[in-house]
Amino acid sequence: MEIQPILKSLRRQKTAALLIAFEIALACAIICNTLFVISERMDRMHIDSGVAESELVRIRSSTLDDAAERSVRTAEDLAALQTVAGVVEVAAVQQVPFGNSSWNSGLSVERGAPPVTGATNYFDSGNLVSTLGLRLTAGRDFRPDEYIEFDALFRADVEVVGSAIITQALADKLWPDEPALGKFFYTDQDPIRVIGIVDTLIRPSFRAVADAPMSVIYPVRNTPGLQYLMRVRPPADLDAVLKQAETALREVHSGRLISRAETFESMREHFFRGDRVMAMLLSGVIVALLVVTALGIVGLASFWVQGRRRQIGIRRALGATRGSILRYFQLENFLIVTAGVVTGMFAAYGVNAWLMQHYELSRLPMYYLPIGAIGLWVLGQLSVLSPALRAMRVPPALATKA
Amino acid sequence: MFKMTHLSKAFRTEIVETFALRDFSIDVKEGEFVAVTGPSGSGKTTFLNIAGLLETPTGGRYELDGQDVSHLSDRARSRIRNEKIGFIFQAFNLIPDLNVFDNVDVPLRYRGLKASERKLRITDALERVGLSARMKHYPAELSGGQQQRVAIARALAGRPRLLLADEPTGNLDTQMARAVMELIEDVHRDGATIVMVTHDPELAARTQRNVHIVDGQVVDIDAAEPRFTAVAGG
Ligand SMILES: Nc1ncnc2c1ncn2[C@@H]1O[C@H](COP(=O)(O)OP(=O)(O)OP(=O)(O)O)[C@@H](O)[C@H]1O
Ligand SMILES: [Mg+2]
């Protein structure tokens, strides 16, 4: 069976054919973009935080205002937490991945130059890299003599932060063509040397996946708002560890408020709740669209088969095999879907451009179009199958019925 | 050309079984022009349907060109219909969505002929029925007589050896009926075997052989042999 006579005959049924093609174009445009949004959400949800999530818990306690007292208390707390059964390492830091609150600054590679990029600042009170389970790919961890007190940063006479560990992504961003190790960057007047590179460590909160791993770790102790991290030896009951940690902290000082006693797994789960709900909603939209489109195709094809029963009988009488009747309707559907898909591809880019303008969506990658097209072709063929089979079974003797 | 022996055709519904044909035997020779007459419901169309492989008999034997065709596959039957048999129907049965040219083209496409060959045959056939000027017209834009001539052209273009016509003039006035009949006689002169169901005794009289069907059985009026032989021996 050839395309030409089908097209000719379709021209006589323009309105219905165009309507279905339009429905398919719309479905194509919406499904391509929706799939893309879902996949971006999925990418977010599956991001590598860089930390050993399954072995980590965090706990937060009310901190003291006085810097000196704070530093004493922190040392006592860490020592107490270290004694909890199953705990391998402990550390104190002012922010954590999936923790939402974050300290940020702009980084430049020359003094006084405008920042190349923003990055988040993790302040390591000691042993942070190893407790988080970060993977150092170049350089080294901080030496004990490199640490300075947070408080000292504000005293005019004293030290400045001289060294930092950065993520590979940040290194690539700051120095795209050169190795970053040993280079200097600036957040203000004083140069900070890159002494180590970790493969990744995400910001406490982020939107775009590409923007997530822009992190710097500074050797700065005893910032305000410290929270404690405990790395346990698997397998361990993390909830039990958290309970014991709480008890241990209360033994150090009984009157304190303890909050945010959480595993990283539950933090991740909580952090991505919105993405998960959105992905599910959008999947529902896709399914609904597919069902509506399929029903439209089934409806129109059934209507056409019913209306063309006599014509089918005539074709059979004139030598059409059952197979060629089946193929006629399949090919007809394929042509309509193709018209819809081609239009839909342009519409998909239109919708995408609109979404890019009004929401934070990236450009729809090309490969979504063939995926959408193939999906709709398959949907079309499946939908038309039952009406086409009915057409195939029209008896040739129908031609002679008056 | 074809031969039916003790053929029967029953239509079964849930309650009744009607025999459209019973113990039906006939032998139609190559090149014959047979007119089939009979009262309404006697089985004329059923006979043509089986002869044209549009339906299968319930019992008995049907041979076309010496080949038993009652048990062929759909594909084989379709092919025989397409290559050996031409149909003309009382209701013209053109495809309303296709213009005259494309209507005549339908069986040729199923045969898989080359475009150039098809075009040649279509223009020839339309010329023969005097409708060359109407190639781009749709069936709804033609008179009944013109539509039937298109249908004849469609049958002619396939160059069938057997032309089956079911009351081809039933929907036409006398003048158009005569024109159509002349065309069919033309086709017969070119060597085709023709079986034509008609209610018109005048038309029937113009053919070589009249077969009368009553109640699903054949009464072969003009057969050369005595009727007894025709039934028993085929
Ligand atoms: N598909 C069918 N189902 C049930 N009965 C049928 C079917 N086709 C034909 N019949 C019956 O078979 C008998 C013969 O029908 P057929 O159409 O062959 O008659 P006919 O001689 O062509 O009549 P007419 O001159 O009215 O066209 C009739 O009784 C008819 O009701
Ligand atoms: Mg009839």
Side-chain angles (χ1 to χ4, degrees), chain A residues 275-310:
Chain A
D275 296 280
R276 201 163 30 248
V277 169
M278 182 58 92
M280 265 154 47
L281 275 177
L282 293 178
S283 306
V285 167
I286 290 181
V287 170
L289 254 178
L290 289 177
V291 168
V292 168
T293 309
L295 286 179
I297 293 170
V298 171
L300 183 69
S302 301
F303 177 72
W304 275 353
V305 167
Q306 194 53 40
R308 286 192 254 176
R309 277 175 63 81
R310 185 174 191 84

Side-chain angles (χ1 to χ4, degrees), chain B residues 147-169:
Chain B
Q147 289 190 48
Q148 194 59 302
R149 272 146 65 201
V150 175
I152 293 172
R154 180 173 66 186
L156 286 184
R159 297 186 189 144
R161 290 190 28 240
L162 175 60
L163 184 68
L164 302 173
D166 196 352
E167 299 186 39
T169 60

